[in-house]
Amino acid sequence: MADAKVIPFDDDRSRGGAQRASRRRSAPRRAGDPATVSEVKALPGQQDGQQDGQRDGDARTERAQEQGRTVPGQRGGGWDRRIAGGLSFLRRRLTGEYEVDDFGYDEELTDQVLMSLLRPFYEKYFRVEVKGIENIPADGGALIVANHSGTLPLDGLMMQVAVHDNHPHGRHLRLLAADLVFMLPVVNELARKAGHTLACAEDAERLLERGELVGVMPEGFKGIGKPFSERYKLQRFGRGGFVSTALRTGSPIVPCSIVGAEEIYPMIGNAKTLARVFGFPYFPITPTFPWLGPLGAVPLPTKWTIQFGEPIPTDGYPPEAAEDPMLMFNLTDQVREQIQHSLYKLLVQRRSVFF
């Protein structure tokens, strides 16, 4: 599909107007005629800023077209590009011409397939609004710490799409997941392909040293499995292991607050006997599950907001700071309080759970 042409504001001279304009320019200027106004040029700083914004916008547009997403303000969905990209993707998968890192992360499969499957939920179902994306570094390692909720860990997946689709450089978020994720069939393989890895200090440190964005939700099962009556009340952040990892690598900590996930599965009860039978940390009972069967597993279409706060630097501390328990406790508490404060602010600003 051909790209749309941008018509300048002064292009009304194209139909015969060019000849009139040339005659006007060639006519001699008589005394008393008003002076000709020269073209106004942008200031150097403004021009540089416009060029930077244009480059970021072009990069986001090209990335969206490659992923088959509609670009705001652009007509058409780029079907020719999508078809060509899909055929090229299938050829590479069949011939084995794709890369997988030592964690099992398949970037191409994530971009072309997994993100495409998650994006309708992100854009249409939960209608996620993202704030503070500029607080995520353009390059280098960083640790994104977020609250955890929702009975099922959909918040981590939506945060992954939010970072990739909204960051000017299209960065990928590598999530740290609980060991239960890697014990489930099918889920284990998909999690590895999507870039998730075990929530341990060794894996997180290796990723940060490579300059990756790493996402962690320190509340773990205590946050995701808490009852609906305790919604948006942060649980304990473990023993501060994520702070120790950030200190060892000198990576900034970016607090992240997610509003909307708490209400997708309002957990009003916990069948502990069934949880022990299936080996789950909890077995949720909601107003729709298990009463409506498979239909009860459909999440409620709440309106989400994901806000990334100002990063907390850690590169100014000495190497031995990672072994200081008081420093880890203070930084952990600082991150937790910042996330909790942002949650309260977002809840006050929210008009409705669903709109």
Side-chain angles (χ1 to χ4, degrees):
M1 185 178 293
D3 295 335
K5 294 178 64 179
V6 179
I7 303 176
F9 289 111
D10 59 349
D11 204 49
D12 56 351
R13 299 174 296 183
S14 58
R15 298 182 180 179
Q19 298 177 358
R20 292 192 298 271
S22 63
R23 288 197 297 269
R24 286 198 297 269
R25 285 195 295 267
S26 61
R29 180 184 170 205
R30 294 188 296 271
D33 289 348
T36 304
V37 179
S38 60
E39 181 182 359
V40 179
K41 297 183 178 180
L43 296 175
Q46 294 175 339
Q47 195 172 25
D48 294 342
Q50 291 173 356
Q51 291 176 353
D52 292 341
Q54 181 68 27
R55 282 193 294 269
D56 290 343
D58 292 343
R60 285 193 293 266
T61 299
E62 183 178 355
R63 193 165 62 248
Q65 289 175 342
E66 291 176 354
Q67 296 163 1
R69 292 186 288 125
T70 303
V71 183
Q74 184 181 28
R75 295 181 179 178
W79 285 103
D80 53 347
R81 187 186 295 267
R82 293 182 65 178
I83 294 173
L87 294 175
S88 178
F89 170 77
L90 289 176
R91 180 187 60 81
R92 289 192 297 272
R93 305 311 293 190
L94 293 174
T95 58
E97 298 177 3
Y98 59 91
E99 296 181 358
V100 178
D101 69 5
D102 51 346
F103 288 94
Y105 173 47
D106 190 333
E107 181 176 345
E108 184 183 50
L109 181 68
T110 300
D111 284 348
Q112 299 295 327
V113 179
L114 301 182
M115 285 288 181
S116 299
L117 294 175
L118 293 174
R119 199 165 282 120
F121 292 94
Y122 173 88
E123 295 179 346
K124 305 298 183 183
Y125 199 79
F126 296 128
R127 296 146 292 147
V128 181
E129 178 184 0
V130 178
K131 299 180 179 181
I133 194 69
E134 67 277 1
N135 291 318
I136 298 178
D139 51 28
L143 187 65
I144 299 180
V145 182
N147 59 303
H148 206 12
S149 62
T151 304
L152 290 181
L154 299 182
D155 49 0
L157 300 176
M158 295 300 104
M159 183 170 65
Q160 190 175 9
V161 180
V163 172
H164 180 263
D165 285 3
N166 291 274
H167 197 277
H169 298 274
R171 302 201 65 181
H172 292 84
L173 181 64
R174 308 291 294 270
L175 291 171
L176 303 181
D179 52 359
L180 177 62
V181 173
F182 303 101
M183 295 170 58
L184 299 174
V186 181
V187 175
N188 169 30
E189 188 68 20
L190 290 177
R192 288 290 185 187
K193 294 290 186 181
H196 307 171
T197 188
L198 191 64
C200 63
E202 293 78 10
D203 286 0
E205 190 170 339
R206 287 171 57 194
L207 289 172
L208 289 172
E209 288 175 346
R210 295 182 184 183
E212 299 281 359
L213 282 180
V214 179
V216 61
M217 296 173 165
E219 292 177 281
F221 290 123
K222 298 188 301 293
I224 196 174
K226 65 177 177 288
F228 186 67
S229 59
E230 298 181 13
R231 59 192 179 279
Y232 298 114
K233 296 179 182 178
L234 293 183
Q235 305 298 301
R236 184 172 174 267
F237 267 24
R239 292 170 292 183
F242 69 92
V243 171
S244 178
T245 302
L247 288 170
R248 287 194 183 95
T249 58
S251 304
I253 300 174
V254 181
C256 176
S257 302
I258 303 175
V259 166
E262 292 275 14
E263 294 89 0
I264 60 173
Y265 295 111
M267 186 170 166
I268 58 177
N270 179 15
K272 297 182 179 179
T273 302
L274 290 176
R276 286 194 297 268
V277 170
F278 291 105
F280 296 156
Y282 56 88
F283 191 92
I285 297 176
T286 73
T288 58
F289 182 82
W291 326 114
L292 300 182
L295 187 61
V298 177
L300 297 179
T302 59
K303 175 74 170 60
W304 288 33
T305 301
I306 300 180
Q307 177 169 315
F308 299 97
E310 295 185 2
I312 300 172
T314 63
D315 54 354
Y317 295 96
E320 61 272 14
E323 307 300 330
D324 186 348
M326 287 304 299
L327 177 61
M328 286 194 296
F329 175 81
N330 290 334
L331 286 176
T332 302
D333 192 58
Q334 179 183 352
V335 175
R336 186 179 181 277
E337 288 299 322
Q338 189 167 336
I339 295 174
Q340 185 70 81
H341 182 66
S342 297
L343 286 175
Y344 287 148
K345 288 181 62 178
L346 292 174
L347 288 172
V348 170
Q349 298 169 1
R350 183 170 67 168
R351 296 179 302 170
S352 168
V353 173
F354 300 100
F355 303 103

